[in-house]
């Protein structure tokens, strides 16, 4: 296996960089690892740019969950890049082939950069179906098995601006053997090389960027190997896989990510898959991550919860007060009040976190304040907690719409706050603010 | 053209001081009491009984004929207030039974009424809760007092009386309130129908007496009588003696034969005052709307367009389109190429078909389209009345909706003939 990989990579070094128009401009690096900057000239025409640290716009088949383009555009600033996943798209390959115009046009998307990933980090994928040559994705109709050939055929018909190479990331379960982890690294490298070969030959993918996927589970050696090898390939950036919330604790995650990013070129972006909790985001930014997936607001929405964690670090007391919860709310958060919903499985990701409030709770029944004071989103400008509570209690569809709008807005504002904090050396304060441990 | 429901100010005469004082007091009273409803008849069809009117209500004016979407629980099924406004909706429905249960009238009052609670700036009409009594809930008893039922949420026994219904609706603050009527299914025959009709009249009087805000909230009567012409006529005679701002035609649209249905509608409009709006409850299929406008109705409501949307059924001038069906998987045109709604301007049948497998947003797209379809239909109907070509509009509409004349529903042909419109 190893010699095959070496042979392929030798060939590839001669070939052109895969869609390497994407340029990373760093304006600041803290402790040699934590980066602030801009990813420029992204998109097929190189017409977009993305601030980092940043996050992607999470969608189901191109639609932000619950939202139409009208409700989506009540948000004043949307992330530049929209994420779609092959798990949603694979079953529609025939339709897209016949349509011929690419997914963006098919979905009637606004002007955006389309990023295509393999899996949906907010959806549970059964394991045990990966082979040396294939990975599987789960859509509404069941399982679709992908070879690299089929994977690339999908990319050619989707016509994204940027995609991740096919990879084997089934290492997040506890007790994954070292042998299995090694296999995932080998397979992912092999898949990457094959993807790049096909990419070079595909006219439809001209100007499209490919990210290599770094695997390695929780084994440092394998992580380093995967990082070093992937870095040798002509990719535009790197996905860090197998780190999802629930796979390992943050301490180990930070340690491994820091080690991995040491092996990656400074001038290429790093996208972390499967991590969205604000505290984990902050830690991973400090470990060297540039981009995150945007599924966390969706998960909170599905729980009937509104994101409400603070992220203001401005010295101005007035503006600092605007996003304030009541003293009672803060006390509850500090006390670690995170009641999981009753009907859930044990998946870590579906439990309510300390960063949100449960609007189904009776205490919101006659609370006529907005979800978060000072939040400028459509929901907070037009509606109150009591109304959203009512919608949730009566199982009304509008609850999902309003919560998705608010949660998306709150989360993306958080990323803006991260960038501001980095620029102004206030990361420490931001972390304490987000965790609710700032004493006033 | 005529303006009705306006103020009748007493002339100030140059008689003795006492009289002048009295008259100017009267003047002050009437001028300050702007009626919460005025109807201006803009055009009347010379062939049928159709009218186009401007209905002025406290929150905004409404162009009739009008279709009112139903937002049962203080929300229109996934559509924001802004989106609904953007579609041109001027009035929609809320439901007293549901909102009376959850979140309850006290809370809604605290929220500045249903308008404040939903943040809806235009008009609201609330149903009395009577229909839900029949359709949704296990009935304990209907007595002269009111309707007794068991709350589905906590099992407690609740009495919905005319006074209670109006009290809740007063708290909701709707622009139009419906009386509590003794609702009997249109398929029921026999003495119960007559009993219900008479009781509804008595309950109307109790509702009128119970209305705390006659200056801001319009109470409509609901004509009952089932499918019995004599009973209906009796009800019409009695109820039209009450000076209510508008009348609804109730007790229909519940599974009765269409042949009976249209006859009761036209009988009702024959005996309802010209200068007051006529609201036909529970009617929403396109053909029914067009025919009943021809029979003289001004206002309609129905859950059908919004409910069917959530099942992927899109309403179009030639019927409906089941977006979830396989045949649309590769259909890259919009639901209706002529439709100007946000869904049709941006999305194809194929995309919506695919989206139904991935996200609830698919339902919202269809809901928006269906509301747009209904509102556009009514706007076109109104325009044709105003321009004096409503019969022609009806003929074109029917031709588009049905593949051939032998497929025109018999009842519709008869009903239209009765108002001098012959289809082919």
């Amino acid at each position: 296996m190893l010699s095959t990989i070496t042979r392929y990579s030798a060939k590839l070094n001669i070939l052109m960089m895969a869609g390497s128009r994407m340029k990373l401009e760093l304006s600041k690096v803290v402790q040699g690892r934590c980066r602030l900057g801009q990813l420029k000239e992204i998109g097929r025409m190189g017409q977009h740019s993305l601030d980092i640290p940043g996050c992607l716009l999470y969608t189901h088949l191109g639609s932000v969950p619950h939202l139409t383009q009208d409700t989506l555009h009540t948000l004043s600033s949307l992330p530049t890049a929209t994420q779609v996943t092959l798990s949603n798209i694979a079953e529609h390959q025939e339709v897209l082939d016949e349509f011929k115009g690419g997914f963006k046009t098919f979905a009637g998307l606004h002007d955006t950069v389309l990023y295509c990933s393999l899996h949906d980090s907010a959806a549970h994928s059964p394991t045990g179906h990966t082979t040396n040559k294939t990975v599987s994705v789960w859509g509404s109709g069941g399982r679709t098995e992908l070879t690299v050939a089929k994977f690339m055929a999908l990319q050619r018909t989707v016509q994204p601006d940027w995609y991740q190479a096919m990879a084997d990331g089934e290492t997040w379960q506890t007790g994954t053997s070292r042998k299995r982890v090694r296999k995932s690294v080998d397979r992912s490298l092999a898949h990457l090389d094959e993807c790049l070969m096909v990419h070079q030959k595909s006219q439809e993918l001209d100007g499209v960027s490919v990210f290599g996927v770094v695997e390695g589970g929780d084994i440092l050696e394998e992580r380093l190997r995967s990082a070093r090898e992937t870095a040798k390939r002509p990719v535009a950036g790197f996905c860090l896989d197998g780190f999802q919330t629930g796979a390992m604790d943050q301490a180990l995650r930070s340690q491994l990510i820091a080690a991995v990013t040491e092996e990656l070129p400074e001038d290429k972006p790093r996208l972390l898959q499967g991590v969205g909790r604000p505290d984990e985001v902050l830690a991973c930014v400090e470990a060297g991550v540039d981009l995150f997936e945007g599924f966390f607001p969706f998960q909170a929405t599905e729980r009937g919860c509104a994101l409400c964690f603070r992220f203001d670090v401005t010295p101005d007391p007035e503006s600092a007060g605007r996003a304030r919860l009541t003293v009672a709310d803060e006390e509850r958060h500090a006390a670690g009040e995170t009641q999981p919903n009753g009907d859930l499985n044990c998946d870590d990701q579906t439990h309510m976190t300390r960063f949100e409030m449960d609007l189904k709770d009776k205490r919101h029944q006659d609370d006529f304040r907005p979800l978060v004071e000072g939040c400028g989103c459509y929901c907070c400008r037009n509606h109150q907690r009591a109304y959203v509570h009512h919608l949730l209690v009566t199982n009304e569809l509008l609850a999902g719409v309003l919560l998705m709008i608010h949660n998306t807005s709150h989360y993306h504002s958080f990323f803006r706050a991260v960038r501001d904090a980095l620029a102004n050396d206030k990361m420490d304060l931001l972390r304490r603010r987000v965790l609710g441990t700032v004493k006033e | 053209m005529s303006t009705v429901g306006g103020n009748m100010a007493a002339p100030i005469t140059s008689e003795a001081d006492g009289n002048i004082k009295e008259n100017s007091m009267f003047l002050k009273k009437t001028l300050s009491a702007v009626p919460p409803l005025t109807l201006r008849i803009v055009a009347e069809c010379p062939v049928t009984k159709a009218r186009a009117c401007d209905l002025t209500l406290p929150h905004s004016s409404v162009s009739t004929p009008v279709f009112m979407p139903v937002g049962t629980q203080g929300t229109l099924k996934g559509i924001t207030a802004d989106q609904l406004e953007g579609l041109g909706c001027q009035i929609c429905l809320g439901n007293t039974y549901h909102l009376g249960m959850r979140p309850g009238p006290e809370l809604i009052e605290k929220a500045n009424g249903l308008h404040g609670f939903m943040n809806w700036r235009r008009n609201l009409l609330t149903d009395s809760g009577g229909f839900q009594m029949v359709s949704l809930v296990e009935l304990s008893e209907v007595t002269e007092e009111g309707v007794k039922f068991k709350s589905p949420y906590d099992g407690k026994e609740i009495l919905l009386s005319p006074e209670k219904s109006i009290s809740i609706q007063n708290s909701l603050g709707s622009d139009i309130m419906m009386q509590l009527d003794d609702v009997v299914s249109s398929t029921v025959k026999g003495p119960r129908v007559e009993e219900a009709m008479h009781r509804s009249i008595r309950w109307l009087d109790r509702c009128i007496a119970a209305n705390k805000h006659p200056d801001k909230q319009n109470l409509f009567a609901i004509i009952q009588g089932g499918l019995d012409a004599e009973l209906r006529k009796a009800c019409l005679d009695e109820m039209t003696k009450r000076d209510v701002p508008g009348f609804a035609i109730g007790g229909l649209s519940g599974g009765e034969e269409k042949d009976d249905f249209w006859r009761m509608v036209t009988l009702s409009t024959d005996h309802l005052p010209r200068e007051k709006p006529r609201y036909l409850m529970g009617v929403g299929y396109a053909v029914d709307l067009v025919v009943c406008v021809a029979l003289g109705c001004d206002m309609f409501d129905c859950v059908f367009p919004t409910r069917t949307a959530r099942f992927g059924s899109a309403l179009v001038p030639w019927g409906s389109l089941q977006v979830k069906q396989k045949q649309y998987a590769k259909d890259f045109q919009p639901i209706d190429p002529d439709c100007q709604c946000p869904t049709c301007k941006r999305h194809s049948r194929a995309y919506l078909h695919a989206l139904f497998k991935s996200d609830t947003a698919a339902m919202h797209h269809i809901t928006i389209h269906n509301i747009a379809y209904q509102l556009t239909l009514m706007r076109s109907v109104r325009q044709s009345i105003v321009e004096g070509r409503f019969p022609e509009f009806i003929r074109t509409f029917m031709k588009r909706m049905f593949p051939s004349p032998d497929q025109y529903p018999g009842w519709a042909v008869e009903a239209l003939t009765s108002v001098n419109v012959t289809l082919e």
Side-chain angles (χ1 to χ4, degrees):
Chain A
M1 183 76 122
L2 207 56
S3 56
T4 318
I5 293 169
T6 322
R7 269 211 307 276
Y8 273 141
S9 67
K11 270 193 193 145
L12 287 163
N13 279 332
I14 305 166
L15 299 168
M16 288 240 300
M17 297 281 257
S20 58
R21 190 198 260 113
M22 214 187 253
K23 278 183 185 50
L24 183 57
E25 256 181 39
L26 296 174
S27 57
K28 189 169 183 172
V29 181
V30 177
Q31 296 190 323
R33 183 173 298 138
C34 170
R35 303 120 69 83
L36 173 70
Q38 260 203 335
L39 196 54
K40 292 190 154 155
E41 294 182 45
I42 43 177
R44 277 164 182 268
M45 304 297 158
Q47 77 275 43
H48 287 288
S49 62
L50 207 155
D51 293 321
I52 61 131
C55 84
L56 309 173
L57 186 65
Y58 173 78
T59 73
H60 289 156
L61 207 69
S63 287
V64 174
H66 305 293
L67 304 186
T68 65
Q69 285 283 328
D70 290 334
T71 41
L72 177 64
H73 288 283
T74 59
L75 292 161
S76 52
S77 60
L78 287 173
T80 311
T82 298
Q83 178 177 5
V84 290
T85 66
L86 287 183
S87 50
N88 285 150
I89 290 182
E91 63 193 280
H92 304 291
Q93 184 174 4
E94 233 186 83
V95 178
L96 286 168
D97 284 341
E98 193 160 316
F99 180 72
K100 290 188 181 52
F103 183 82
K104 256 195 266 189
T105 314
F106 176 68
L109 287 185
H110 56 287
D111 183 26
T112 184
V113 173
L114 191 68
Y115 167 68
C116 187
S117 70
L118 182 60
H119 295 296
D120 180 339
S121 291
H124 175 64
S125 298
T127 54
H129 297 272
T130 319
T131 70
N132 275 341
K133 295 285 182 192
T134 67
V135 299
S136 290
V137 290
W138 276 260
S140 73
R143 183 168 78 96
T144 305
E145 194 164 65
L146 304 175
T147 55
V148 171
K150 192 169 165 79
F151 176 92
M152 291 307 291
L154 276 165
Q155 300 300 346
R156 286 202 301 271
T157 201
V158 169
Q159 291 162 42
D161 294 287
W162 143 39
Y163 65 96
Q164 62 154 105
M166 190 167 111
D168 169 11
E170 271 178 27
T171 57
W172 46 267
Q173 280 176 315
T174 37
T176 307
S177 71
R178 195 184 186 99
K179 187 173 166 192
R180 180 65 183 86
V181 172
R182 200 179 308 135
K183 241 200 247 184
S184 82
V185 174
D186 291 339
R187 285 173 179 171
S188 302
L189 287 166
H191 296 328
L192 171 59
D193 289 337
E194 219 186 311
C195 283
L196 290 172
M197 293 263 272
V198 177
H199 185 105
Q200 293 305 324
K201 297 194 195 121
S202 306
Q203 227 183 355
E204 302 96 322
L205 297 175
D206 194 31
V208 175
S209 305
V210 185
F211 272 31
V213 184
V214 175
E215 301 286 352
D218 56 1
I219 301 172
L220 178 62
E221 242 173 55
E222 289 299 313
R223 281 284 171 191
L224 294 176
R225 182 168 76 93
S226 180
R228 285 177 194 136
E229 286 300 319
T230 311
K232 289 179 185 164
R233 274 71 174 167
V235 292
F238 304 90
C239 287
L240 307 181
D241 195 17
F243 284 114
Q244 39 269 56
T245 299
M248 60 182 77
D249 63 35
Q250 186 57 43
L252 179 59
R253 181 181 297 120
S254 290
Q255 186 197 341
L256 289 173
I257 290 179
V260 161
T261 53
E262 285 284 299
E263 306 296 327
L264 300 176
E266 240 186 34
D267 62 347
K268 290 184 182 174
R270 302 92 177 246
L271 191 162
L272 178 60
Q273 293 173 323
V275 172
R277 251 175 49 188
D279 55 341
E280 294 178 338
V281 165
L282 286 173
C284 293
V285 165
E286 292 184 317
V289 174
D290 303 319
L291 288 168
F292 296 81
E293 295 178 316
F295 59 87
F296 185 72
F298 167 66
Q299 292 175 318
T301 300
E302 296 308 281
R303 295 189 276 267
C305 293
L307 297 182
C308 58
F309 62 95
R310 291 180 61 181
F311 45 76
D312 48 304
V313 290
T314 51
D316 172 18
E318 269 193 46
S319 61
R322 259 189 281 120
R324 184 188 293 282
L325 304 170
T326 60
V327 173
D329 287 329
E330 294 234 31
E331 276 173 3
R332 275 190 290 272
H333 280 289
E337 193 190 55
T338 53
Q339 285 121 7
N341 292 328
D343 54 327
L344 288 179
N345 55 38
C346 295
D347 186 353
D348 238 66
Q349 298 216 49
T350 50
H351 284 179
M352 188 175 129
T353 67
R354 62 195 295 175
F355 306 101
E356 57 206 70
M357 65 176 120
D358 180 4
L359 281 166
K360 289 183 304 304
D361 194 303
K362 262 199 153 156
R363 75 172 71 104
H364 300 298
Q365 205 176 48
D366 52 359
D367 190 337
F368 294 110
R369 294 173 295 166
L371 300 186
V372 171
E373 305 264 16
C375 172
C377 84
Y378 175 85
C379 179
C380 290
R381 275 184 287 115
N382 291 286
H383 295 292
Q384 305 135 335
R385 297 179 189 191
Y387 184 59
V388 181
H389 170 84
H390 164 72
L391 296 175
L392 284 165
V393 163
T394 54
N395 283 313
E396 283 288 342
L397 291 167
L398 190 62
V401 176
L402 295 179
L403 282 176
M404 197 68 223
I405 291 175
H406 169 76
N407 290 341
T408 304
S409 173
H410 196 89
Y411 197 65
H412 295 294
S413 298
F414 161 62
F415 272 88
R416 204 175 316 130
V418 173
R419 294 189 290 270
D420 286 345
L422 265 175
N424 299 306
D425 293 313
K426 291 213 153 68
M427 281 296 274
D428 201 49
L429 177 57
L430 177 61
R431 189 186 322 109
R432 284 186 287 130
R433 185 71 85 205
V434 165
L435 289 173
T437 57
V438 179
K439 298 243 182 299
E440 312 235 22
Chain B
M1 284 217 230
S2 62
T3 310
V4 292
N7 300 317
M8 299 284 285
I12 300 177
T13 66
S14 54
E15 287 175 12
D17 276 353
N19 271 354
I20 291 173
K21 237 197 198 148
E22 221 173 61
N23 286 332
S24 68
M25 281 292 288
F26 178 68
L27 191 65
K28 273 207 193 92
K29 264 198 192 150
T30 49
L31 281 181
S32 66
V34 177
L37 184 153
T38 57
L39 188 78
R40 186 173 80 101
I41 300 175
V42 174
E44 285 176 286
C45 176
V47 177
T48 68
K49 298 201 287 178
R51 316 100 69 72
C53 309
D54 290 341
L55 176 65
T56 306
L57 292 167
H59 279 83
S60 71
S61 80
V62 179
S63 311
T64 76
V66 65
F67 175 77
M68 305 180 284
V70 181
T72 308
Q73 305 200 89
T75 157
L76 227 118
K77 300 301 180 215
I79 306 304
T80 63
D82 268 16
Q83 285 178 303
L84 193 57
E85 221 185 89
L87 290 171
C89 175
Q90 296 154 326
I91 178 170
C92 67
L93 258 73
N95 212 288
T96 297
Y97 168 76
H98 292 85
L99 293 167
M101 292 280 100
R102 303 184 296 190
E106 296 84 13
L107 188 89
I108 295 194
E109 253 200 72
K110 267 197 234 172
N112 283 322
L114 187 55
H115 286 90
F117 193 54
M118 300 171 59
N119 202 9
W120 174 246
R121 296 188 290 194
R122 295 181 176 174
N123 296 300
L124 283 168
L125 185 153
T126 47
D127 188 16
S128 62
F131 181 68
Q132 279 68 41
M133 309 279 73
V134 173
S135 61
L136 286 185
V137 188
E138 280 256 8
L139 235 44
S140 306
E141 247 191 298
V142 181
T143 64
E144 191 58 26
E145 227 193 333
V147 184
K148 269 199 218 148
F149 65 101
K150 263 207 183 86
S151 161
Y153 307 112
D154 58 14
K156 281 198 290 195
E157 208 182 60
I158 306 197
L159 172 72
L160 188 67
S161 64
E163 290 75 18
K164 180 89 182 132
S165 173
I166 296 303
S167 167
I168 297 174
Q169 294 185 74
N170 278 151
S171 296
L172 297 178
S174 46
D175 302 277
I176 299 178
M177 310 187 292
M178 303 310 295
Q179 68 155 115
L180 182 67
D181 47 347
D182 186 359
V183 181
V184 161
S185 164
S186 54
T187 50
V188 167
K189 310 249 184 263
R192 176 74 183 103
V193 182
E194 178 161 6
E195 177 195 48
M197 184 273 284
H198 285 296
R199 181 171 291 138
S200 296
I201 298 170
R202 293 193 293 275
W203 281 4
L204 171 60
D205 288 337
R206 283 166 63 183
C207 286
I208 293 171
N211 184 7
K212 287 194 289 250
H213 309 133
D215 55 326
K216 279 193 295 210
Q217 295 184 266
N218 297 286
L219 176 61
F220 276 26
I222 305 179
I223 309 294
Q224 294 293 347
L227 303 176
D228 184 319
E230 278 189 28
L231 290 180
R232 250 200 207 255
K233 183 81 181 34
C235 194
L236 283 155
D237 286 342
E238 271 308 310
M239 286 194 173
T240 50
K241 288 183 189 153
R242 278 76 175 161
D243 186 25
V244 285
F247 294 90
I249 302 166
L252 299 174
S253 199
E256 70 280 353
E257 287 297 326
K258 276 303 216 290
D259 288 322
D260 299 321
F261 160 77
W262 78 263
R263 286 183 167 85
M264 291 298 105
V265 173
T266 208
L267 171 67
S268 303
T269 56
D270 277 343
H271 296 281
L272 285 172
R274 176 180 168 270
E275 337 75 45
K276 291 185 178 177
R278 298 95 172 252
Y279 165 27
L280 181 56
M281 305 183 80
V283 168
Y285 292 124
V287 178
D288 300 7
L289 289 171
V290 173
V291 172
C292 291
V293 168
L295 298 181
C297 299
D298 308 308
M299 303 165 68
F300 305 86
D301 84 283
C302 192
V303 292
F304 169 70
T306 39
R307 179 175 292 166
T308 206
R310 298 196 293 285
F311 294 99
S313 182
L315 302 177
V316 288
W318 58 94
S320 69
L321 203 144
Q322 312 310 317
V323 160
K324 288 165 88 167
Q325 282 176 353
K326 244 189 152 159
Q327 55 183 297
Y328 298 110
K330 294 181 186 170
D331 190 337
F332 302 121
Q333 34 168 358
I335 292 170
D336 177 6
D338 293 325
C339 179
Q340 297 300 309
C341 84
T343 302
C344 290
K345 286 210 280 210
R346 201 182 258 278
H347 297 298
S348 65
R349 300 168 185 185
Y351 179 64
L352 294 167
H353 174 92
L355 191 60
F356 261 103
K357 301 184 199 228
S358 289
D359 199 82
T360 60
M363 291 195 272
H364 306 326
H365 287 298
I366 311 286
T367 302
I368 291 203
H369 168 80
N370 282 4
I371 296 175
Y373 171 77
Q374 299 283 109
L375 298 181
T376 302
L377 174 64
M378 298 311 265
R379 228 174 281 135
S380 317
V381 164
R382 175 189 162 93
Q383 199 56 26
S384 74
I385 298 170
V386 166
E387 292 175 8
R389 50 175 179 84
F390 183 46
E392 201 41 56
F393 175 90
I394 299 175
R395 281 189 275 269
T396 311
F397 167 82
M398 295 293 279
K399 265 207 203 116
R400 190 102 205 265
M401 186 60 74
F402 300 100
S404 62
D406 53 292
Q407 299 201 310
Y408 292 169
W411 72 270
V413 177
E414 266 192 80
L416 289 168
T417 307
S418 81
V419 286
N420 311 306
V421 175
T422 42
L423 305 172
E424 265 166 56

